Amino acid sequence: MHDQPNQERALAVVLDEDPDVVAILSLQLHLLGMESRCCRRTVTLLDEVAACRPQLVIMGLESEDPDGIALLRKLAEQQYPGWVLLLGGVERKISRIAERVGQTLGLQMLGSLDKPMRLAELRQRLGGLRFGREPAIVPESDPFFSAEELERALEQGELTLHYQPQFELVSGRLSGVEALVRWAHPEIGLIGPASFLPMLTPGQSRRLTGHVLQLALADAERWQRLDLALSMSVNVTADDLMAPDLLARTRHRIPGASPPVVLEITETAAMDDELLGSEIAARLHLAGLEVSVDDFGVGFSSLSRLQMLPISELKIDRSFVRHLQDDTQDAAIVEAVALLGRRLGIRVIAEGVEELDCLGLLARFGCTHVQGFGLSRPVPAEAIPGLARAQSPIRASIAASGASPGSTP
Ligand code: C2E
Ligand code: CA
Ligand code: CA
């Protein structure tokens, strides 16, 4: 592929104290089809952001005066609309806090990239966004969507679902799927949710959930008719859960609620005071819906508060799973969450399983389910029945590790 003219390439501004880090990142961004500008001081970065409006800021947290977290505040004050990717190099705990601070301030955070930076990881991080030369889902194009385009997507049913398979560790069988929304844009192609979910108004976001539920439940019914017992997980926000029509939409669809419909809500959203104080928890339970706490482990939630929701599943955030094999702190967290799940008698699913050699450890810790690119990427609905009948990718791997998986509630 040829290089594009400069003015059409997305721009990243990179801040790190270490000139080698900056040089490597510039090269990697170039390989991914992006322009970059480098800064060694936070004041310069703020000036660059104000002057050039880059689509992406990549920043180390170790800069001085202001420090990385203060810098995030300044970017938010400037109402920086692009993406922010943090650079590792500080304790992971600190980058996680910084990520949460950025999210709370309304910045579009892309997580943090470990040092030394690997091109594959950078590509993956940027893959769902609308820039870069070899994106996972979306080809290059203008960075932002207009309100009219989003409206058209909702009205004309351009939003479709892909399903990521979930496997039960003890049997290796395909036990369920997570519905993940994609925008089948007529000119651009498939666009990942990170590129458009943050741009939806609250009203559009509710309509999106309605549309997603409708598609997901129709597919679930179809699979049920084929005798495939697959749970269906759908991502919802706290706002969705409190909307009066959510229960009505789901109630009549799956008689007997078996296999279950699972509403995934992030740990942070699950702690919403209004949600916990509402009658919704009890009504979800009465309607036979299950709740999974997504991205569990990053929100530091209080268990007494979590118990106010009818939780059937804890979903361990993939940032803990990624380094499971070589980070003892992450392994300790995964083990503790698995133990907690076992005590509560609920499922514990590890997401983001990329390497199958961590399955043995996950099984030994007592995780009950797994999902991740290493087992299957999200696929269109048509591929699911075939996957359910295919040889499980898990059995051989668990057997080879000699682990005996925990029992499944
Ligand atoms: P999530 O709920 O944490 O969903 C999992 C995301 O991780 C998916 O990205 C999935 O493709 C990706 N993933 C799965 N396995 C792996 C792995 O092994 N490694 C890595 N690096 N990534 C993996 P996707 O589809 O881009 O979704 C991103 C987020 O968008 C979701 O995060 C969820 O918060 C949100 N989302 C997706 N669909 C919907 C929806 O229908 N409604 C709402 N409200 N949010 C949605
Ligand atoms: Ca999810
Ligand atoms: Ca998640």
Short mmCIF file of all heavy atoms in Angstrom, two decimals, residues 46-93:
data_model
loop_
_atom_site.label_atom_id
_atom_site.label_comp_id
_atom_site.label_asym_id
_atom_site.label_seq_id
_atom_site.Cartn_x
_atom_site.Cartn_y
_atom_site.Cartn_z
N LEU A 46 0.51 20.35 25.49
CA LEU A 46 -0.75 21.10 25.53
C LEU A 46 -0.82 22.11 24.39
O LEU A 46 -1.87 22.28 23.76
CB LEU A 46 -0.91 21.79 26.89
CG LEU A 46 -1.16 20.81 28.05
CD1 LEU A 46 -1.04 21.52 29.39
CD2 LEU A 46 -2.54 20.17 27.91
N ASP A 47 0.32 22.74 24.09
CA ASP A 47 0.34 23.69 22.97
C ASP A 47 0.04 22.97 21.65
O ASP A 47 -0.73 23.44 20.83
CB ASP A 47 1.72 24.37 22.86
CG ASP A 47 1.92 25.36 24.00
OD1 ASP A 47 0.92 25.68 24.67
OD2 ASP A 47 3.08 25.77 24.24
N GLU A 48 0.69 21.81 21.47
CA GLU A 48 0.49 21.04 20.22
C GLU A 48 -0.97 20.64 20.07
O GLU A 48 -1.54 20.71 18.98
CB GLU A 48 1.34 19.76 20.23
CG GLU A 48 2.83 19.99 20.06
CD GLU A 48 3.22 20.16 18.59
OE1 GLU A 48 2.34 20.18 17.72
OE2 GLU A 48 4.43 20.30 18.33
N VAL A 49 -1.56 20.18 21.19
CA VAL A 49 -2.96 19.73 21.13
C VAL A 49 -3.85 20.90 20.74
O VAL A 49 -4.74 20.76 19.89
CB VAL A 49 -3.39 19.11 22.49
CG1 VAL A 49 -4.90 18.93 22.55
CG2 VAL A 49 -2.70 17.77 22.68
N ALA A 50 -3.60 22.07 21.35
CA ALA A 50 -4.43 23.23 21.04
C ALA A 50 -4.25 23.65 19.58
O ALA A 50 -5.21 23.99 18.89
CB ALA A 50 -4.08 24.38 21.98
N ALA A 51 -2.99 23.57 19.10
CA ALA A 51 -2.72 24.09 17.75
C ALA A 51 -3.11 23.10 16.66
O ALA A 51 -3.65 23.49 15.63
CB ALA A 51 -1.24 24.45 17.64
N CYS A 52 -2.83 21.79 16.86
CA CYS A 52 -2.98 20.84 15.74
C CYS A 52 -4.16 19.90 15.87
O CYS A 52 -4.43 19.13 14.95
CB CYS A 52 -1.74 19.96 15.59
SG CYS A 52 -0.23 20.83 15.78
N ARG A 53 -4.87 19.91 16.99
CA ARG A 53 -6.03 19.03 17.19
C ARG A 53 -5.74 17.59 16.73
O ARG A 53 -6.38 17.08 15.80
CB ARG A 53 -7.24 19.57 16.41
CG ARG A 53 -7.76 20.87 16.95
CD ARG A 53 -8.89 20.61 17.91
NE ARG A 53 -8.93 21.59 18.97
CZ ARG A 53 -9.63 21.44 20.08
NH1 ARG A 53 -10.32 20.36 20.29
NH2 ARG A 53 -9.63 22.35 21.01
N PRO A 54 -4.77 16.93 17.35
CA PRO A 54 -4.45 15.56 16.91
C PRO A 54 -5.60 14.60 17.26
O PRO A 54 -6.37 14.87 18.17
CB PRO A 54 -3.22 15.22 17.75
CG PRO A 54 -3.34 16.06 18.97
CD PRO A 54 -4.00 17.35 18.52
N GLN A 55 -5.68 13.50 16.51
CA GLN A 55 -6.72 12.50 16.82
C GLN A 55 -6.33 11.66 18.03
O GLN A 55 -7.17 11.02 18.64
CB GLN A 55 -6.92 11.55 15.62
CG GLN A 55 -7.74 12.16 14.50
CD GLN A 55 -6.90 12.99 13.55
OE1 GLN A 55 -5.71 13.24 13.78
NE2 GLN A 55 -7.50 13.44 12.46
N LEU A 56 -5.02 11.63 18.31
CA LEU A 56 -4.55 10.73 19.37
C LEU A 56 -3.44 11.40 20.17
O LEU A 56 -2.57 12.05 19.59
CB LEU A 56 -4.01 9.44 18.70
CG LEU A 56 -3.31 8.41 19.55
CD1 LEU A 56 -4.29 7.76 20.52
CD2 LEU A 56 -2.70 7.31 18.67
N VAL A 57 -3.49 11.23 21.49
CA VAL A 57 -2.37 11.63 22.34
C VAL A 57 -1.84 10.37 23.01
O VAL A 57 -2.62 9.60 23.58
CB VAL A 57 -2.85 12.63 23.44
CG1 VAL A 57 -1.81 12.76 24.53
CG2 VAL A 57 -3.15 13.99 22.83
N ILE A 58 -0.54 10.13 22.87
CA ILE A 58 0.06 9.00 23.57
C ILE A 58 0.98 9.59 24.63
O ILE A 58 1.88 10.37 24.30
CB ILE A 58 0.88 8.11 22.60
CG1 ILE A 58 -0.01 7.65 21.44
CG2 ILE A 58 1.46 6.92 23.33
CD1 ILE A 58 0.66 6.65 20.51
N MET A 59 0.76 9.25 25.87
CA MET A 59 1.54 9.94 26.91
C MET A 59 2.02 9.03 28.03
O MET A 59 1.30 8.18 28.53
CB MET A 59 0.70 11.07 27.51
CG MET A 59 -0.69 10.65 27.94
SD MET A 59 -1.59 12.00 28.75
CE MET A 59 -0.99 11.81 30.43
N GLY A 60 3.29 9.23 28.40
CA GLY A 60 3.81 8.60 29.60
C GLY A 60 3.27 9.36 30.80
O GLY A 60 2.88 10.52 30.69
N LEU A 61 3.24 8.68 31.96
CA LEU A 61 2.68 9.36 33.14
C LEU A 61 3.77 9.98 34.00
O LEU A 61 3.50 10.67 34.98
CB LEU A 61 1.90 8.35 33.99
CG LEU A 61 0.57 7.89 33.38
CD1 LEU A 61 0.04 6.68 34.12
CD2 LEU A 61 -0.44 9.03 33.42
N GLU A 62 5.02 9.72 33.63
CA GLU A 62 6.09 10.11 34.53
C GLU A 62 6.58 11.55 34.35
O GLU A 62 7.51 11.97 35.01
CB GLU A 62 7.30 9.18 34.33
CG GLU A 62 7.06 7.79 34.85
CD GLU A 62 7.88 6.77 34.10
OE1 GLU A 62 7.87 6.81 32.85
OE2 GLU A 62 8.53 5.95 34.75
N SER A 63 5.92 12.29 33.46
CA SER A 63 6.40 13.64 33.21
C SER A 63 6.27 14.49 34.47
O SER A 63 5.46 14.19 35.35
CB SER A 63 5.57 14.26 32.09
OG SER A 63 4.20 14.12 32.42
N GLU A 64 7.07 15.54 34.54
CA GLU A 64 7.03 16.39 35.74
C GLU A 64 6.29 17.68 35.44
O GLU A 64 6.34 18.20 34.35
CB GLU A 64 8.47 16.73 36.15
CG GLU A 64 9.14 15.57 36.85
CD GLU A 64 10.61 15.83 37.09
OE1 GLU A 64 11.05 16.98 36.91
OE2 GLU A 64 11.30 14.87 37.43
N ASP A 65 5.63 18.18 36.42
CA ASP A 65 5.07 19.52 36.45
C ASP A 65 4.40 19.99 35.18
O ASP A 65 5.03 20.68 34.39
CB ASP A 65 6.20 20.50 36.83
CG ASP A 65 5.58 21.82 37.29
OD1 ASP A 65 4.44 21.77 37.78
OD2 ASP A 65 6.22 22.86 37.13
N PRO A 66 3.19 19.73 34.88
CA PRO A 66 2.33 18.91 35.74
C PRO A 66 2.59 17.43 35.51
O PRO A 66 3.06 17.05 34.44
CB PRO A 66 0.93 19.28 35.25
CG PRO A 66 1.11 19.71 33.83
CD PRO A 66 2.47 20.30 33.73
N ASP A 67 2.26 16.60 36.52
CA ASP A 67 2.46 15.15 36.35
C ASP A 67 1.38 14.62 35.40
O ASP A 67 0.48 15.37 34.99
CB ASP A 67 2.40 14.44 37.71
CG ASP A 67 1.05 14.59 38.39
OD1 ASP A 67 0.03 14.33 37.73
OD2 ASP A 67 1.02 14.97 39.58
N GLY A 68 1.48 13.33 35.06
CA GLY A 68 0.60 12.78 34.03
C GLY A 68 -0.88 12.93 34.34
O GLY A 68 -1.69 13.19 33.46
N ILE A 69 -1.23 12.77 35.62
CA ILE A 69 -2.66 12.83 35.96
C ILE A 69 -3.16 14.28 35.86
O ILE A 69 -4.24 14.55 35.34
CB ILE A 69 -2.91 12.20 37.34
CG1 ILE A 69 -2.64 10.69 37.20
CG2 ILE A 69 -4.35 12.45 37.81
CD1 ILE A 69 -3.02 9.82 38.32
N ALA A 70 -2.30 15.21 36.33
CA ALA A 70 -2.68 16.63 36.19
C ALA A 70 -2.81 16.98 34.70
O ALA A 70 -3.66 17.77 34.30
CB ALA A 70 -1.65 17.51 36.87
N LEU A 71 -1.96 16.35 33.89
CA LEU A 71 -2.03 16.62 32.45
C LEU A 71 -3.36 16.16 31.86
O LEU A 71 -3.96 16.83 31.01
CB LEU A 71 -0.86 15.91 31.75
CG LEU A 71 -0.83 16.02 30.23
CD1 LEU A 71 -0.77 17.46 29.77
CD2 LEU A 71 0.36 15.26 29.67
N LEU A 72 -3.85 14.98 32.35
CA LEU A 72 -5.16 14.51 31.89
C LEU A 72 -6.23 15.55 32.21
O LEU A 72 -7.12 15.83 31.41
CB LEU A 72 -5.51 13.18 32.55
CG LEU A 72 -4.71 11.96 32.09
CD1 LEU A 72 -5.01 10.75 32.96
CD2 LEU A 72 -5.03 11.63 30.62
N ARG A 73 -6.13 16.13 33.41
CA ARG A 73 -7.10 17.18 33.78
C ARG A 73 -7.03 18.36 32.82
O ARG A 73 -8.03 18.91 32.41
CB ARG A 73 -6.83 17.68 35.20
CG ARG A 73 -7.19 16.65 36.24
CD ARG A 73 -7.30 17.25 37.64
NE ARG A 73 -7.70 16.19 38.54
CZ ARG A 73 -8.95 15.76 38.69
NH1 ARG A 73 -9.93 16.35 38.03
NH2 ARG A 73 -9.24 14.76 39.49
N LYS A 74 -5.80 18.72 32.46
CA LYS A 74 -5.65 19.87 31.57
C LYS A 74 -6.22 19.56 30.18
O LYS A 74 -6.85 20.41 29.56
CB LYS A 74 -4.18 20.28 31.46
CG LYS A 74 -3.62 20.82 32.77
CD LYS A 74 -2.64 21.94 32.53
CE LYS A 74 -2.08 22.52 33.80
NZ LYS A 74 -2.99 23.40 34.52
N LEU A 75 -5.99 18.31 29.72
CA LEU A 75 -6.57 17.93 28.42
C LEU A 75 -8.09 18.01 28.48
O LEU A 75 -8.74 18.49 27.54
CB LEU A 75 -6.15 16.50 28.05
CG LEU A 75 -4.73 16.32 27.54
CD1 LEU A 75 -4.40 14.83 27.41
CD2 LEU A 75 -4.55 17.00 26.18
N ALA A 76 -8.66 17.55 29.60
CA ALA A 76 -10.12 17.61 29.74
C ALA A 76 -10.59 19.07 29.78
O ALA A 76 -11.60 19.41 29.17
CB ALA A 76 -10.55 16.87 31.00
N GLU A 77 -9.81 19.92 30.48
CA GLU A 77 -10.19 21.35 30.53
C GLU A 77 -10.20 21.95 29.13
O GLU A 77 -11.02 22.79 28.80
CB GLU A 77 -9.19 22.13 31.40
CG GLU A 77 -9.52 22.07 32.88
CD GLU A 77 -8.33 22.50 33.73
OE1 GLU A 77 -7.46 23.25 33.23
OE2 GLU A 77 -8.27 22.07 34.90
N GLN A 78 -9.22 21.50 28.30
CA GLN A 78 -9.17 22.00 26.92
C GLN A 78 -10.24 21.37 26.05
O GLN A 78 -10.30 21.60 24.86
CB GLN A 78 -7.81 21.63 26.28
CG GLN A 78 -6.67 22.52 26.67
CD GLN A 78 -5.42 22.25 25.78
OE1 GLN A 78 -5.45 21.52 24.80
NE2 GLN A 78 -4.32 22.85 26.15
N GLN A 79 -11.02 20.45 26.66
CA GLN A 79 -12.07 19.69 25.95
C GLN A 79 -11.48 18.97 24.74
O GLN A 79 -12.04 19.01 23.63
CB GLN A 79 -13.20 20.63 25.52
CG GLN A 79 -13.81 21.28 26.74
CD GLN A 79 -15.09 21.98 26.43
OE1 GLN A 79 -15.22 22.62 25.38
NE2 GLN A 79 -16.05 21.89 27.33
N TYR A 80 -10.36 18.31 24.98
CA TYR A 80 -9.70 17.55 23.92
C TYR A 80 -10.63 16.42 23.48
O TYR A 80 -11.02 15.58 24.29
CB TYR A 80 -8.36 17.01 24.44
CG TYR A 80 -7.74 16.02 23.50
CD1 TYR A 80 -7.40 16.38 22.20
CD2 TYR A 80 -7.50 14.71 23.90
CE1 TYR A 80 -6.87 15.47 21.32
CE2 TYR A 80 -6.96 13.78 23.03
CZ TYR A 80 -6.65 14.17 21.75
OH TYR A 80 -6.12 13.26 20.88
N PRO A 81 -11.02 16.38 22.19
CA PRO A 81 -12.04 15.41 21.79
C PRO A 81 -11.47 14.07 21.30
O PRO A 81 -12.22 13.15 21.02
CB PRO A 81 -12.73 16.13 20.63
CG PRO A 81 -11.66 16.98 20.02
CD PRO A 81 -10.67 17.31 21.09
N GLY A 82 -10.14 13.95 21.16
CA GLY A 82 -9.56 12.75 20.55
C GLY A 82 -9.35 11.64 21.57
O GLY A 82 -9.91 11.64 22.66
N TRP A 83 -8.49 10.70 21.19
CA TRP A 83 -8.23 9.52 22.03
C TRP A 83 -6.95 9.72 22.85
O TRP A 83 -6.04 10.41 22.41
CB TRP A 83 -8.07 8.29 21.15
CG TRP A 83 -9.30 7.99 20.38
CD1 TRP A 83 -9.61 8.44 19.12
CD2 TRP A 83 -10.43 7.24 20.80
NE1 TRP A 83 -10.86 7.99 18.74
CE2 TRP A 83 -11.37 7.24 19.76
CE3 TRP A 83 -10.72 6.53 21.98
CZ2 TRP A 83 -12.59 6.59 19.83
CZ3 TRP A 83 -11.95 5.87 22.05
CH2 TRP A 83 -12.86 5.90 21.00
N VAL A 84 -6.91 9.08 24.01
CA VAL A 84 -5.71 9.15 24.85
C VAL A 84 -5.24 7.74 25.15
O VAL A 84 -6.00 6.91 25.65
CB VAL A 84 -6.00 9.88 26.18
CG1 VAL A 84 -4.74 9.94 27.04
CG2 VAL A 84 -6.54 11.28 25.93
N LEU A 85 -3.98 7.47 24.82
CA LEU A 85 -3.38 6.17 25.14
C LEU A 85 -2.25 6.42 26.14
O LEU A 85 -1.37 7.24 25.88
CB LEU A 85 -2.85 5.53 23.84
CG LEU A 85 -2.13 4.20 23.95
CD1 LEU A 85 -3.03 3.12 24.55
CD2 LEU A 85 -1.67 3.73 22.56
N LEU A 86 -2.29 5.73 27.26
CA LEU A 86 -1.23 5.93 28.27
C LEU A 86 -0.09 4.97 27.99
O LEU A 86 -0.28 3.88 27.44
CB LEU A 86 -1.79 5.64 29.67
CG LEU A 86 -3.00 6.49 30.09
CD1 LEU A 86 -3.52 6.03 31.44
CD2 LEU A 86 -2.61 7.96 30.15
N LEU A 87 1.11 5.39 28.38
CA LEU A 87 2.27 4.51 28.23
C LEU A 87 2.61 3.91 29.58
O LEU A 87 2.62 4.62 30.59
CB LEU A 87 3.46 5.32 27.75
CG LEU A 87 3.49 5.65 26.27
CD1 LEU A 87 4.68 6.53 25.95
CD2 LEU A 87 3.56 4.37 25.45
N GLY A 88 2.87 2.60 29.61
CA GLY A 88 3.26 1.93 30.85
C GLY A 88 4.60 2.48 31.34
O GLY A 88 5.08 3.49 30.86
N GLY A 89 5.20 1.77 32.28
CA GLY A 89 6.47 2.28 32.78
C GLY A 89 6.32 2.67 34.24
O GLY A 89 7.27 2.69 35.00
N VAL A 90 5.09 2.97 34.64
CA VAL A 90 4.82 3.15 36.07
C VAL A 90 4.13 1.88 36.54
O VAL A 90 3.76 1.03 35.73
CB VAL A 90 3.89 4.36 36.33
CG1 VAL A 90 4.59 5.66 36.04
CG2 VAL A 90 2.61 4.26 35.52
N GLU A 91 3.93 1.74 37.85
CA GLU A 91 3.24 0.57 38.37
C GLU A 91 1.87 0.47 37.71
O GLU A 91 1.21 1.48 37.50
CB GLU A 91 3.01 0.75 39.88
CG GLU A 91 3.99 0.00 40.73
CD GLU A 91 3.57 0.10 42.17
OE1 GLU A 91 2.68 -0.65 42.58
OE2 GLU A 91 4.11 0.96 42.86
N ARG A 92 1.44 -0.77 37.44
CA ARG A 92 0.19 -0.93 36.72
C ARG A 92 -0.99 -0.31 37.49
O ARG A 92 -1.92 0.23 36.92
CB ARG A 92 -0.07 -2.41 36.45
CG ARG A 92 -1.16 -2.55 35.43
CD ARG A 92 -1.15 -3.84 34.65
NE ARG A 92 0.13 -4.15 34.07
CZ ARG A 92 0.69 -5.35 34.16
NH1 ARG A 92 0.09 -6.30 34.82
NH2 ARG A 92 1.83 -5.59 33.59
N LYS A 93 -0.90 -0.41 38.84
CA LYS A 93 -1.94 0.18 39.67
C LYS A 93 -2.12 1.66 39.33
O LYS A 93 -3.22 2.17 39.22
CB LYS A 93 -1.47 0.09 41.14
CG LYS A 93 -2.44 -0.59 42.06
CD LYS A 93 -1.92 -0.57 43.48
CE LYS A 93 -0.80 -1.55 43.72
NZ LYS A 93 -0.21 -1.55 45.02
#
